[in-house]
Amino acid sequence: MSDEWKASASADKADEKSWKLLEKAVLAGVQEQRRARRWGIFFKSLTFLYLFIALALFAPSFDLQKGAARSKDHTALVEVRGMIADEEAASADNIVTGLRAAFEDPKTKGVVLRINSPGGSPVQSGYIYDEIRRLREAHKDIKVYAVISDLGASGAYYIASAADEIYADKASLVGSIGVTATTFGFVDAMGKLGVERRVYTSGEHKAFLDPFQPQKAEETEFWQGVLNTTHQQFIESVKKGRGDRLKVEGHPELFSGLVWSGEQALALGLVDKLGNASFVAREVVGAKEIVDYTVQESPFDRFSKKFGASVAERLALWMGLQGPSLR
């Protein structure tokens, strides 16, 4: 009995020792994972820190390179890209700031306004148009050349018409001299859903164009008058900028809102010649060096926007909301 008890006690000790070894092995594994995780976080943080330091270091070097280019005669470039609207890259404030800097540089021999935009706000476009004409008057020795790449339509063409000359590619889309305002009508849908619209105003027409109420003939007529007035302002500005170069006679569709290819626009007098920004700088201005005066976002802002767009795209894919697209 004593021998059996001893054997049993010895077995228990062996099992206890095995469990302790196993426990140590598990704990060692957990500690190793924690260390690996901490090192991973450290190296990721180090990578982000390196990227931000690189941005901080390279940003001044870009300015130095631009400064070196500005030390000799050059063609100034200002981009009009995307929607022309307040707080957008192609806002009037940004475009005008770039134009003023370009004109004030004594080494600027000509200004290229490179345009790729569907248009936008008539107020923003009109502001830029007026400033181009003012700067041309104040600096008679510097000419402005609007160069349309893919698209120069509506408010973008409004701006272009203020330039001394307009250039475009033969396949560019040019024109769309018109005004538009769009909305929806939900009256029938609300009726089917049994939803009642309640609006309280202190003016007879304060809620006009409300998409949840039936249209009123007199309000629709009034709004059309506003659009017609804005359209006429657009037309007059284009005529003032282009003068006799416009082939108005025999082409009543010129101000109808249609767009044309660059080759067709040339025949209509909407553009002066075919060519790109490099061609204009080299062959027209005579200063092939191009210096970009476009107001740029800070590297951090660009990174933030791209990061946000990437997250949104991944989220849309995960939720199955990503639709077809042409790229």
Side-chain angles (χ1 to χ4, degrees):
M1 190 70 176
S2 177
D3 290 339
E4 290 178 357
W5 182 85
K6 287 180 180 179
S8 176
S10 177
D12 289 341
K13 285 183 180 180
D15 289 342
E16 184 179 356
K17 189 179 291 186
S18 297
W19 276 108
K20 285 183 178 179
L21 288 173
L22 181 60
E23 184 181 7
K24 285 182 180 180
V26 171
L27 288 173
V30 171
Q31 290 175 350
E32 185 63 30
Q33 287 180 346
R34 287 176 178 172
R35 277 197 292 268
R37 191 181 303 115
R38 282 196 291 266
W39 278 112
I41 293 171
F42 171 77
F43 282 116
K44 286 176 182 177
S45 301
L46 197 63
T47 302
F48 277 109
L49 181 62
Y50 172 80
L51 289 173
F52 279 112
I53 291 173
L55 286 172
L57 290 175
F58 283 119
S61 68
F62 293 148
D63 291 337
L64 288 173
Q65 291 173 5
K66 190 173 285 188
R70 289 177 179 175
S71 66
K72 54 185 177 180
D73 290 351
H74 59 262
T75 297
L77 173 72
V78 177
E79 296 265 13
V80 180
R81 182 179 295 275
M83 187 65 67
I84 302 167
D86 188 28
E87 298 186 359
E88 293 289 339
S91 69
D93 285 340
N94 286 347
I95 303 302
V96 167
T97 298
L99 285 169
R100 288 174 181 170
F103 271 94
E104 289 168 4
D105 193 315
K107 294 297 182 179
T108 294
K109 297 304 172 186
V111 176
V112 168
L113 199 64
R114 187 161 62 191
I115 297 171
N116 186 13
S117 169
S121 164
V123 175
Q124 300 280 310
S125 302
Y127 177 18
I128 300 169
Y129 174 97
D130 291 339
E131 187 63 14
I132 292 172
R133 293 184 64 86
R134 187 192 71 80
L135 289 168
R136 283 177 54 195
E137 186 64 26
H139 304 269
K140 294 184 181 294
D141 56 328
I142 300 177
K143 289 191 173 184
V144 182
Y145 303 92
V147 178
I148 297 170
S149 55
D150 293 280
L151 180 62
S154 196
Y157 186 77
Y158 192 160
I159 293 170
S161 66
D164 289 279
E165 292 182 352
I166 302 177
Y167 287 73
D169 184 84
K170 61 181 180 296
S172 299
L173 292 178
V174 182
S176 187
I177 303 174
V179 180
T180 181
T182 59
T183 184
F184 295 92
F186 299 101
V187 178
D188 291 341
M190 288 173 63
K192 291 178 181 178
L193 293 172
V195 178
E196 180 184 359
R197 173 70 164 170
R198 296 172 181 174
V199 180
Y200 308 98
T201 67
S202 58
E204 182 184 354
H205 300 290
K206 186 63 179 176
F208 92 106
L209 300 182
D210 186 331
F212 298 101
Q213 295 187 86
Q215 291 191 86
K216 297 179 182 178
E218 66 275 15
E219 292 180 347
T220 302
E221 184 180 353
F222 168 81
W223 184 235
Q224 186 61 54
V226 172
L227 298 181
N228 291 343
T229 300
T230 306
H231 187 201
Q232 194 58 42
Q233 293 169 352
F234 190 173
I235 293 170
E236 292 303 320
S237 294
V238 170
K239 286 182 175 180
K240 186 177 180 180
R242 299 297 295 162
D244 296 335
R245 291 172 289 184
L246 280 177
K247 305 298 189 295
V248 180
E249 293 296 328
H251 296 284
E253 73 281 6
L254 202 61
F255 305 122
S256 68
L258 291 174
V259 294
W260 291 270
S261 70
E263 189 173 1
Q264 293 171 316
L266 179 63
L268 292 169
L270 290 168
V271 304
D272 296 286
K273 295 174 185 175
L274 301 180
N276 55 37
S278 297
F279 170 82
V280 173
R282 184 180 63 252
E283 303 296 337
V284 183
V285 178
K288 66 178 182 179
E289 293 292 335
I290 297 177
V291 176
D292 192 351
Y293 287 80
T294 308
V295 174
Q296 303 287 350
E297 291 180 315
S298 69
F300 181 77
D301 288 339
R302 289 198 297 272
F303 171 79
S304 298
K305 285 187 177 180
K306 287 183 179 179
F307 179 76
S310 176
V311 170
E313 183 178 5
R314 294 298 174 189
L315 184 61
L317 284 170
W318 177 70
M319 296 177 67
L321 299 175
Q322 187 72 32
S325 62
L326 296 175
R327 297 188 181 187

